Amino acid sequence: MTAVAATTEATASDTAPVPSRQALSYVLVTPARNEAALIEETIQSVIAQSVLPRKWIIVSDGSTDGTDEIVQRYARERDWIELLRLPERPDRHFAGKAGAFNAGYAHLSTLNSQLPGAPERSEGGSTSWDLIGNLDADITFGPDYFEFLLQKFSANPRLGVAGTPFVEDQDRLDQHSYAHQFANSSHVSGACQMFRRECFDEVGGYLSIKAGAID
């Protein structure tokens, strides 16, 4: 799949605090289960970004197909990429993706003070990143993709979550297995969901529901 830069977004509640207009930083978490065929293109898309993430946790959800080895090869050369491996599990369901993301998010909370460019923690706990992205392991996008999303959050301090539509085949733009007709302007596709940190924490993150998709 290829993500395209035209946002769908939702705003945070009016009671949410308004952050300052300083440059925003972001981190990424990518749940991956047996994505060896496609994850390298996703990694290359992120590496080529005009604004890089402070940290990218790729969570291998018990992969057995070489996904881990591909991620480790890139992580050895870039300290902002990290593989977090979860144990193998026999079943496959929607809750697995939520669980993998939540494991990555929990791991990030232990790294805040160690992230590149992170400010020193002040009393009360300053944050070392502003936005968190849930990025699929099988998509590609242009080099200004995350810069585009950062600009949307900077322009609207009450924006809570944003993303973009995607296409499955650049040569067949009218053919999709995804039912876009049932989405609306406030729906953010699960291929990439970028949250303001305060919004993500306020809603409590993702719930692990076996019968329901993460978006």
Side-chain angles (χ1 to χ4, degrees):
M1 295 186 297
T2 299
V4 291
T7 53
T8 53
E9 53 198 46
T11 55
S13 66
D14 289 338
T15 58
V18 179
S20 65
R21 289 303 184 94
Q22 63 185 13
L24 298 176
S25 62
Y26 72 102
V27 294
L28 297 174
V29 174
T30 292
R33 181 177 172 87
N34 293 334
E35 296 284 4
L38 297 169
I39 195 169
E40 188 160 18
E41 292 185 53
T42 302
I43 294 173
Q44 291 172 350
S45 290
V46 174
I47 289 172
Q49 290 302 292
S50 54
V51 181
L52 292 172
R54 283 198 171 155
K55 192 71 175 180
W56 185 14
I57 307 296
I58 301 176
V59 184
S60 175
D61 189 12
S63 297
T64 58
D65 67 342
T67 294
D68 296 8
E69 289 75 15
I70 294 171
V71 175
Q72 287 172 330
R73 175 156 44 89
Y74 284 92
R76 280 194 294 267
E77 301 173 355
R78 297 164 181 84
D79 61 4
W80 50 274
I81 299 177
E82 182 177 345
L83 173 69
L84 176 65
R85 178 171 174 82
L86 301 183
E88 294 181 30
R89 55 183 175 82
D91 53 339
R92 184 181 180 91
H93 47 69
F94 287 118
K97 182 179 179 181
F101 180 91
N102 291 339
Y105 186 72
H107 185 64
L108 273 172
S109 68
T110 69
L111 301 176
N112 279 337
S113 62
Q114 306 170 34
L115 298 185
E120 292 185 4
R121 283 186 170 274
S122 60
E123 187 175 353
S126 63
T127 60
S128 57
W129 44 272
D130 305 293
L131 309 171
I132 181 165
N134 178 6
L135 179 68
D136 275 4
D138 60 355
I139 67 171
T140 60
F141 35 85
D144 62 346
Y145 182 73
F146 284 108
E147 181 180 3
F148 173 82
L149 290 179
L150 291 176
Q151 289 172 350
K152 295 297 181 181
F153 281 96
S154 294
N156 183 356
R158 298 196 182 281
L159 180 62
V161 57
T164 68
F166 63 87
V167 296
E168 293 174 319
D169 189 334
Q170 288 277 25
D171 298 323
R172 296 185 299 172
L173 298 180
D174 60 334
Q175 297 185 32
H176 293 280
S177 61
Y178 179 80
H180 287 281
Q181 68 270 26
F182 297 116
N184 57 45
S185 60
S186 63
H187 171 82
V188 180
S189 297
C192 180
Q193 297 177 330
M194 182 74 85
F195 291 87
R196 197 177 297 275
R197 185 175 186 175
E198 296 91 334
C199 175
F200 188 81
D201 288 340
E202 184 177 335
V203 300
Y206 294 109
L207 297 178
S208 295
I209 302 174
K210 290 185 177 183
I214 200 166
D215 54 343

